[in-house]
Structures are given as structure tokens and as C-alpha cells.
Amino acid sequence: MELNSQTRPFSIKLWPPSQNTRQTLVEKLSNNLTTKSIFTQKYETLDKEEAAKSAKKIEDTAFATANLHYENEPDGDGGSAVQLYAKECSKLLLEVLKRGPGKNSDKEAVISDDAAVPRESVFDISKGKRAFIEAEEAHELLSPLKEPGNSFTKICFSNRSFGEGAAKVAEPILISLKDQLKEVDLSDFVAGRKEAEALDVMRIFSAALEGTVLKYLNLSDNALGEKGVRAFGTLLKSQSCLEELYLMNDGISEDAAQAVSEFIPSTEKLKVLHFHNNMTGDEGALAIAEVVKRSPSLEDFRCSSTRIGDEGGVALSDALGNCTHLRKLDLRDNMLCVEGGISLSKALAKHAELREIYLGYLNLEDEGAIAIANTLKESAPHLEVLEMSGNEITVDAAPAIVDCLATKQFLTKLNLSENELKDEGAIQISKALEGLNQLKEIDLSSNKISGDGARQLALTVVQKADFKLLNVNGNFISDEDIEELIVIFKDSPDMLGPLDENDPDGEDGDEESDKGGSEDELESKMKNLVVD
């Protein structure tokens, strides 16, 4: 739960404006509507009461427009949002003046339909510097949530570490919002706090949000462990309509995974479950498999880097067989091995809607890769992304992969990096890619490929109109062949990825090592040879 020591570059944020700034602008707008000017001489002034109401509505609408713009460009300093804010205020002020006095009653919209913008629905304090937040700052920071009639349906408290005092300030506010909140992001919101205080904060938020009908809940990056999961138990138990749940980088062990399964009684509507970077292991995977089994609507499942072996992989694969609406599957960086890969291949036979599948670094070997490729050949007709890097796949699996690729007319990205396909496998795969017109990216880096394989891949993809990137770095391509690749891509040099890690004099180190070892062993035996 330690606060990240990395700090972001210093910058001045121009957006959002303070409440004082907004109120000052409302007063200026009201003054412009009531005093003589070149515009009021042409369109008439408004009385003070009507001007005040109109000014407030103008500012509210302009702020919502500018804030929506800023939300789509969150890494900027807010300068463009400020400019849009001022421009909208001016435009809407002129519209009110054109309508004239007495035409802006409560029964009529002050702003024309085409200019109307929905009120803010997202309250987000995550932008800016990562920092602690205590009671005094919480009162000011969370004040917009206390405004009567606010329209916030999503809150994001990520990136700010709440102490117990700040949590108690937030508690009554969250209780007052129970009937309107649909999305809650509490990721990374207790960083750097001592365990006892962090758990107390979690319990306060959990109790305050109990019974809220949420569609989205993010509790990632909080080093939850079993204690943290149980601290959120009140909130989790009360959820029956969740569609998205994120529990990434939470230190969830076997016992914590069991608590997750216990505290989420209803997942029938769950569409997204992300469980990346935990310490779940095989036993924990059995508990997560139970959650998956109860989630027939699941469309996006991520369970990467969770220390799952073949036993847990088999259990998860069996559970995934129930998720026939799955569109995206990410199991990267686990140890499913051959047995887990074969079990997964059986589950994939039911996934006709699959669009993206990420199976890198699972130790599948040829047998597991072939089983999966054979299944995908007959299923997932609309597959767009296939990733099977780092699985010790050799040319022996290439024919099955080729047959699978031949049926994937919508494929846009193929990643088979860090395998051992060599030239023969690369050439076979390149021929299978000829008919895939949607293809945009190929990664066959670190596959012991020389000039022949790289050249065939280049000639295949360079003709594709929408192709973006060929990565053959980390292979054994000679300097002369690199020059030829550059010539092939002379009209579209950005299509060819970097070759800075390529070894022009590369040889199969393993084979050389085996050869040397054999020669040494033979020499040793010859020394002791006795002729009778």
C-alpha cells in the first residue's frame, strides 16, 4: 500500500475553474444582459431577475460542453477547454439576447435544442499529482457532490489516497448519492496508508455504498489481499447488477480469491472481469473459476500474470466453456502448459463471438498450440487479434497455424513473437497471410528467422493497403537482407519496424551448444578408448 514515489512532470492545470471563478463569470454574464452595450441596444436588455437565471444556465451549459471536451483530452493542461468555455458563453449569451426579455421563462429552454448539453455525469478527482487527502481538503474537493440536483452517475477517486478523516467526510455524501450512482472507481485510493487505516477506509466506503445499484466497480491497485476483499464485503454482497468488475494488481492470493467468490453472489449480468497481476495460483484459480462459471454473459475476461499452472488452467478453461458470449480473452503470463492448452482448446470450440485472444507465455509448446489452432480453425469466424508469443512453438506447429489463419478473414493483428518458427515456419505463415485483407500488424520477432523468411513476409504485407507494421526484430537477418527489406518498404518505410536487436551473424545458439557438447563428449570417450 505504499505510495508510488514517481512524480509527474510539473504543470499548471487551467481546468477545471474554481467555483469562485465560475460564480464571477455568472455575475459578469448577468451584468452583460442588463447593461447597455452595442448588443443590448440592438436586442434589448433583460431585467435583473431574468438575467441572473439566464446567466446561470448559460454558464452551466458552457461548463458542461468544455468539461466534456477536457475529459476527451485528459493529458492536456486544459487550455483548449478554457477557450471553448469562453466561446460557448459568448455564443449562448448572444442567443439569449436575440430571444429578448420575457421569452426565457422556465417553460422554455434558455438554450436552443441544438446547443443543449447534458449536465455533468462524471465526477473525477484522479487527474493531477498523486497525493494524500485529509478531511479539510475532502470537504472542498467533494463539495460539487453535495450540490442539490447534481447529475453525477460516476465517481472516480483514483490516484488520491484517502485517510480515515477524508473517508468520514465522503461517507454521508456517498450515502446521499446511492440512488443515482451507477459507476464507482476506487482504484488506488489508499496508497501509502498503514494497513489498519487503509482497511478502516475501505470499510467506511463499503458501508456507505452498500445497496447502490452499480454497473461498474473498480477496486484495482489497492493491495487488498484477503483482508481488503473482506473489508469491501458489505458492498460486494449487495451487488446484483454488476456488468464490469476490476480487481487488478490487488495481491489476491488463494484465500482472497475464495473471498471474492464468496462475496459476489450474483454475476449473471457480469460482462467484464479483469483479474490481472495477482498471486492467485492454482488453488485461487479454482475459486475464480467458480465466479466465471456463474457469469454466462461474460464478454471480456482478463486473468493474466496470476501464477496459474496447469491445474488452475484446466479449471478456468472448463468454466470458460459456459461463457459462450466471450469476445476478448487474456490469459497471458501463466503456466497452463500443454495440458492447460488442450483443455482451453476444448472450451474455445464454443466461442463463436470471440474477437481477441491473448495466449502469450503459457508454455503451450507445439502440442498445446496445435490443439488451440485446430479449434480456432472451426470457431471464432470473426477473430481480429491472435497472440501466442513466447510458447516454444516450432515449425512443427506451423501447418496447423496456417490452416487456422486461412479461415480468419477479419484478422488485423497476429503476434507469434519469441518462438522458434525459423524460415520454414515464417514462409508457410506468410503464404497464409496473402488472402487476409484486413491485416494491419504482424510480429514474428525473435523467431530465428533469416533473410529468406523476412523477405517473404515483407513481400506479402507490403501490398496490403491498410497494413501498419511488420516486426521481425531480434532475428538473424544479414546486413544485405536488411538493405533489401528497406528497399521493399521504400514507399512506406513506417511499415517496417526497427531492427536494432537483430543479429546479422546469428546462429542457432542451442544447436551450436548441443553440437559442441556432443563433440566434447566424443573426445572424452576417445581418450579412454582401449583397443583389445
Side-chain angles (χ1 to χ4, degrees), residues 404-450:
C404 171
L405 294 176
T407 67
K408 303 300 172 229
Q409 297 303 309
F410 298 95
L411 196 72
T412 61
K413 182 177 179 179
L414 174 66
N415 185 347
L416 294 169
S417 63
E418 297 188 48
N419 285 301
E420 299 178 18
L421 288 166
K422 301 183 180 179
D423 280 343
E424 184 180 350
I427 290 171
Q428 289 184 44
I429 288 170
S430 67
K431 291 180 180 178
L433 301 178
E434 290 177 0
L436 304 184
N437 297 324
Q438 305 296 321
L439 205 59
K440 291 181 172 60
E441 187 174 339
I442 297 293
D443 190 344
L444 263 77
S445 58
S446 302
N447 261 285
K448 301 180 180 179
I449 297 171
S450 70

Side-chain angles (χ1 to χ4, degrees), residues 108-166:
E108 294 185 58
V110 176
I111 311 303
S112 62
D113 290 339
D114 59 345
V117 176
R119 299 186 67 184
E120 282 183 281
S121 62
V122 179
F123 180 80
D124 187 354
I125 62 172
S126 66
K127 299 178 179 66
K129 185 179 178 181
R130 233 170 148 239
F132 290 100
I133 175 174
E134 305 301 342
E136 185 176 352
E137 184 183 0
H139 276 293
E140 180 180 355
L141 197 60
L142 304 182
S143 60
L145 293 173
K146 295 187 290 185
E147 293 180 0
N150 74 74
S151 301
F152 296 116
T153 58
K154 177 178 180 177
I155 56 171
C156 178
F157 288 173
S158 180
N159 202 43
R160 302 298 297 273
S161 181
F162 279 73
E164 188 173 354

Side-chain angles (χ1 to χ4, degrees), residues 32-186:
N32 286 336
L33 291 168
T34 57
T35 58
K36 292 292 183 182
S37 69
I38 185 172
F39 294 109
T40 55
Q41 286 178 351
K42 181 176 181 181
Y43 297 116
E44 296 185 67
T45 58
L46 277 63
D47 63 46
K48 289 186 178 182
E49 183 180 354
E50 186 177 357
K53 290 182 180 179
S54 297
K56 181 67 170 64
K57 292 181 179 180
I58 289 171
E59 192 279 333
D60 280 345
T61 304
F63 179 85
T65 302
N67 197 59
L68 184 62
H69 171 82
Y70 179 71
E71 291 292 340
N72 292 328
E73 297 181 353
D75 295 329
D77 62 2
S80 59
V82 171
Q83 292 179 1
L84 181 59
Y85 183 45
K87 182 180 177 181
E88 287 295 302
C89 281
S90 297
K91 182 184 77 172
L92 299 174
L93 177 72
L94 188 57
E95 284 190 13
V96 171
L97 286 172
K98 286 181 178 179
R99 289 193 183 91
K103 297 180 181 179
N104 296 306
S105 65
D106 291 338
K107 294 182 180 180
E108 294 185 58
V110 176
I111 311 303
S112 62
D113 290 339
D114 59 345
V117 176
R119 299 186 67 184
E120 282 183 281
S121 62
V122 179
F123 180 80
D124 187 354
I125 62 172
S126 66
K127 299 178 179 66
K129 185 179 178 181
R130 233 170 148 239
F132 290 100
I133 175 174
E134 305 301 342
E136 185 176 352
E137 184 183 0
H139 276 293
E140 180 180 355
L141 197 60
L142 304 182
S143 60
L145 293 173
K146 295 187 290 185
E147 293 180 0
N150 74 74
S151 301
F152 296 116
T153 58
K154 177 178 180 177
I155 56 171
C156 178
F157 288 173
S158 180
N159 202 43
R160 302 298 297 273
S161 181
F162 279 73
E164 188 173 354
K168 289 181 177 178
V169 171
E171 183 177 15
I173 297 174
L174 295 176
I175 291 173
S176 71
L177 297 174
K178 276 189 177 183
D179 292 338
Q180 65 190 67
L181 285 179
K182 299 298 180 186
E183 301 180 48
V184 170
D185 186 344
L186 299 179

Side-chain angles (χ1 to χ4, degrees), residues 207-228:
L209 291 167
E210 180 187 6
T212 307
V213 183
L214 298 178
K215 292 184 176 181
Y216 170 105
L217 178 61
N218 191 343
L219 301 178
S220 301
D221 302 307
N222 284 313
L224 294 176
E226 183 187 3
K227 292 180 182 178

Side-chain angles (χ1 to χ4, degrees), residues 6 28 46 141 169 186 213 217 255 268 271 292 307 309 311 344 349 366 380 476:
Q6 293 183 344
K28 288 183 178 180
L46 277 63
L141 197 60
V169 171
L186 299 179
V213 183
L217 178 61
D255 291 335
E268 291 183 359
K271 294 181 179 180
V292 172
R307 307 183 186 180
E311 182 183 357
L344 180 60
D366 283 339
F476 303 154

